[in-house]
């Protein structure tokens, strides 16, 4: 990390929590002079104090280090605002509702930005009984170049089907509730994420 906790952040978070320096010191089993040194930039907390200090101040370690407190503003939990992250090293797929800091294999992952389908990545959808049958017929499925997953997202559901090289670029999703207004995603390991609205 290229930044460490600052004196101003410790003081601000302690005051927000309505703790005195002595009370914070008691929680951490240190002297109030130590807390005073941290808050006046005459010393820094040892790295072993980061987790206990964050817990005492009611924030995450990331919030403690950056000074940015994150409030949960997504009270409706609309899954249509989901973000997807894919590790370029191991292929791990991470889904989050809203913004997140995601890393895998030591790499910070950006949220994928979906693009409308092009000719090679055209997502075909057929109704079979009460299911959506999804394919990407023009795309190769080799070990080097393939569709890695499909995702079907509605306001209240996020379903994903993992695909494997040398298999078929196809999946079935049960059409339920608000599914008629959902979005289908296909992820190509070379060209990224593509979408098609229902």
């Amino acid at each position: 990390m290229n930044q460490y906790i600052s004196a101003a952040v410790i003081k601000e978070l302690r005051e927000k929590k309505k703790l005195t320096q002595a009370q914070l010191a008691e929680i951490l089993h240190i002297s109030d002079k130590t807390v005073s040194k941290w808050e006046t930039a005459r010393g820094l907390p040892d790295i072993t104090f980061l987790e206990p200090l964050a817990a005492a101040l009611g924030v995450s370690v990331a919030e403690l280090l950056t000074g940015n407190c994150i409030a949960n503003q997504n009270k409706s939990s609309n899954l249509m605002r989901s973000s997807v992250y894919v590790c370029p090293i191991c292929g791990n797929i991470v889904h989050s509702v809203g913004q997140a800091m995601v890393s895998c294999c030591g790499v910070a992952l950006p949220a994928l930005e979906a693009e409308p389908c092009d000719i090679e990545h055209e997502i075909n959808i057929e109704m079979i009984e009460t299911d959506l049958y999804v394919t990407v017929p023009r795309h190769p499925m080799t070990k080097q170049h393939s569709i890695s997953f499909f995702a079907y997202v509605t306001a209240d559901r996020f379903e994903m089907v993992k695909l494997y090289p040398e298999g078929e670029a196809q999946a079935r999703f049960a059409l339920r509730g608000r599914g008629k207004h959902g979005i289908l995603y296909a992820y190509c390991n070379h060209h990224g994420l593509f979408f098609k609205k229902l």
Side-chain angles (χ1 to χ4, degrees):
M1 289 219 165
N2 58 1
Q3 63 186 43
Y4 198 67
I5 186 170
S6 74
V9 167
I10 296 172
K11 184 176 182 183
E12 180 186 344
L13 292 173
R14 176 184 58 77
E15 289 173 348
K16 273 188 186 174
K17 197 77 172 161
K18 297 186 168 91
L19 293 171
T20 65
Q21 288 182 347
Q23 289 168 326
L24 180 58
E26 187 177 330
I27 293 168
L28 297 173
H29 307 292
I30 57 175
S31 72
D32 55 344
K33 288 182 182 178
T34 302
V35 175
S36 177
K37 285 181 182 178
W38 293 349
E39 291 187 0
T40 55
R42 291 180 290 128
L44 292 171
D46 184 78
I47 195 164
T48 58
F49 277 103
L50 290 185
E51 285 187 32
L53 181 58
L57 297 173
V59 296
S60 68
V61 173
E63 290 170 313
L64 185 63
L65 291 171
T66 64
N68 297 325
C69 293
I70 301 160
N72 184 2
Q73 312 240 340
N74 187 12
K75 295 187 171 125
S76 65
S77 298
N78 185 344
L79 290 176
M80 298 288 273
R81 297 187 192 118
S82 292
S83 296
V84 179
Y85 306 80
V86 176
C87 179
I89 297 167
C90 70
N92 191 18
I93 304 161
V94 180
H95 164 248
S96 74
V97 178
Q99 295 180 342
M101 293 186 334
V102 177
S103 65
C104 187
C105 298
V107 177
L109 305 178
L112 298 176
E113 290 187 30
E115 300 176 28
C117 297
D118 59 21
I119 292 170
E120 185 183 6
H121 301 94
E122 183 62 37
I123 301 171
N124 287 347
I125 305 165
E126 292 178 51
M127 281 298 300
I128 299 179
E129 298 172 2
T130 59
D131 291 353
L132 297 173
Y133 177 65
V134 181
T135 60
V136 181
R138 292 188 182 99
H139 198 282
M141 288 295 285
T142 65
K143 287 183 180 179
Q144 293 77 32
H145 189 190
S146 64
I147 299 294
S148 297
F149 68 85
F150 287 118
Y152 172 45
V153 184
T154 64
D156 59 355
R157 283 184 198 278
F158 182 97
E159 295 181 59
M160 186 176 69
V161 173
K162 178 74 175 102
L163 304 175
Y164 296 93
E166 300 179 353
E168 298 290 326
Q170 63 185 12
R172 281 177 83 142
F173 296 98
L175 186 63
R176 297 185 190 104
R178 299 180 191 171
K180 295 174 184 170
H181 303 290
I183 300 175
L184 280 159
Y185 293 97
Y187 178 75
C188 168
N189 67 341
H190 280 204
H191 301 103
L193 193 63
F194 294 88
F195 76 92
K196 185 171 193 173
K197 291 184 178 181
L198 295 182

